[in-house]
Amino acid sequence: EPEVTQTPSHQVTQMGQEVILRCVPISNHLYFYWYRQILGQKVEFLVSFYNNEISEKSEIFDDQFSVERPDGSNFTLKIRSTKLEDSAMYFCASSEGQGASNEQFFGPGTRLTVL
Amino acid sequence: AQSVTQPDIHITVSEGASLELRCNYSYGATPYLFWYVQSPGQGLQLLLKYFSGDTLVQGIKGFEAEFKRSQSSFNLRKPSVHWSDAAEYFCAVVRYNQGGKLIFGQGTELSVKP
């Protein structure tokens, strides 16, 4: 069964460093998402992406964040200069179509720890 | 703004007992409603969803949920819990006209006693 994969499973970085979190969505999916979950808090939407453009982003997704689909298979989330409060579990998701009726398939997440 | 509340942070039930996990939403119109499950080390897996029609929806793994508009609730139920159901459960909503932006509740962690 096709699945969304994410690498690495755990990333530890120093404050101020850049990190890139990688995701491989399901191959025929066209819509891609990033969510994050700070420990003990809700899963929060960060950004959605379609046709090489951001479709929607939350207020969390500021200039320190960027997303890219560099090669037609990977979907990446970059944090330019990490802060302590960026420590969280980051989930990638993909769906065939847009709209609420299209199921989003989630990856297992990348735990980011900023020291 | 729409929101989702899961009042129970942690629930423990005995294996074989029935289960009900609560979810309340705040939204001006009928949203699309979802329940996801997350097992340790796994991603979020969709259990079931409600868009319209029959207010009792069946999902995978023997779960069901009932949409009650009058109570703004979408509670998840299972008649007999198995030890493998131990996981974290998330209720989520999407506005019909806001694409795929899922809004999640805080999650309920389910423990199952032998």
Side-chain angles (χ1 to χ4, degrees), chain A residues 26-115:
Chain A
I26 293 173
S27 62
N28 64 330
H29 285 185
L30 300 176
Y31 294 83
F32 314 111
Y33 312 85
W34 283 101
Y35 294 82
R36 80 171 185 190
Q37 184 182 28
I38 295 171
L39 189 63
Q41 298 186 23
K42 299 183 178 188
V43 177
E44 303 171 288
F45 169 82
L46 290 178
V47 65
S48 58
F49 189 86
Y50 167 70
N51 199 25
N52 284 320
E53 287 184 352
I54 290 174
S55 307
E56 185 176 0
K57 60 183 181 179
S58 72
E59 60 274 11
I60 302 167
F61 195 88
D62 62 21
D63 292 344
Q64 292 300 311
F65 291 88
S66 61
V67 289
E68 194 178 31
R69 189 155 160 80
D71 57 14
S73 62
N74 288 282
F75 178 52
T76 62
L77 174 69
K78 183 194 291 187
I79 310 175
R80 284 192 189 80
S81 177
T82 50
K83 308 185 195 70
L84 295 176
E85 54 265 36
D86 294 327
S87 294
M89 181 73 92
Y90 288 81
F91 294 103
C92 173
S94 68
S95 65
E96 253 185 283
Q98 196 186 23
S101 60
N102 287 276
E103 179 180 349
Q104 293 180 36
F105 291 81
F106 283 79
T110 292
R111 180 169 298 286
L112 176 65
T113 302
V114 182
L115 303 175

Side-chain angles (χ1 to χ4, degrees), chain A residues 12-25:
Chain A
V12 181
T13 190
Q14 295 290 325
M15 191 169 55
Q17 295 296 304
E18 175 183 286
V19 295
I20 298 176
L21 309 183
R22 290 183 168 80
C23 168
V24 179

Side-chain angles (χ1 to χ4, degrees), chain B residues 40-88:
Chain B
Q42 305 293 315
L44 296 161
Q45 181 184 22
L46 182 66
L47 283 176
L48 47 77
K49 58 190 177 187
Y50 172 77
F51 294 156
S52 63
D54 192 347
T55 56
L56 185 63
V57 292
Q58 302 297 320
I60 62 171
K61 306 186 181 192
F63 285 92
E64 65 178 28
E66 186 171 13
F67 169 63
K68 292 186 178 178
R69 185 190 304 274
S70 61
Q71 297 176 20
S72 297
S73 69
F74 188 57
N75 294 350
L76 182 71
R77 302 194 294 246
K78 187 169 184 178
S80 177
V81 167
H82 188 262
W83 63 266
S84 60
D85 293 324
E88 183 130 27

Side-chain angles (χ1 to χ4, degrees), chain B residues 3-114:
Chain B
S3 65
V4 179
T5 302
Q6 293 179 247
D8 305 305
I9 305 280
H10 190 188
I11 282 183
T12 300
V13 299
S14 298
E15 191 166 17
S18 63
L19 170 71
E20 182 168 27
L21 302 183
R22 296 182 291 165
C23 172
N24 293 96
Y25 67 90
S26 170
Y27 182 56
T30 302
Y32 291 179
L33 295 155
F34 304 82
W35 275 99
Y36 283 85
V37 61
Q38 184 185 27
S39 300
Q42 305 293 315
L44 296 161
Q45 181 184 22
L46 182 66
L47 283 176
L48 47 77
K49 58 190 177 187
Y50 172 77
F51 294 156
S52 63
D54 192 347
T55 56
L56 185 63
V57 292
Q58 302 297 320
I60 62 171
K61 306 186 181 192
F63 285 92
E64 65 178 28
E66 186 171 13
F67 169 63
K68 292 186 178 178
R69 185 190 304 274
S70 61
Q71 297 176 20
S72 297
S73 69
F74 188 57
N75 294 350
L76 182 71
R77 302 194 294 246
K78 187 169 184 178
S80 177
V81 167
H82 188 262
W83 63 266
S84 60
D85 293 324
E88 183 130 27
Y89 292 80
F90 295 92
C91 182
V93 304
V94 170
R95 283 180 64 164
Y96 75 95
N97 62 347
Q98 273 198 344
K101 178 183 171 182
L102 286 161
I103 296 169
F104 286 89
Q106 280 191 290
T108 298
E109 185 179 352
L110 174 65
S111 297
V112 181
K113 291 190 300 188

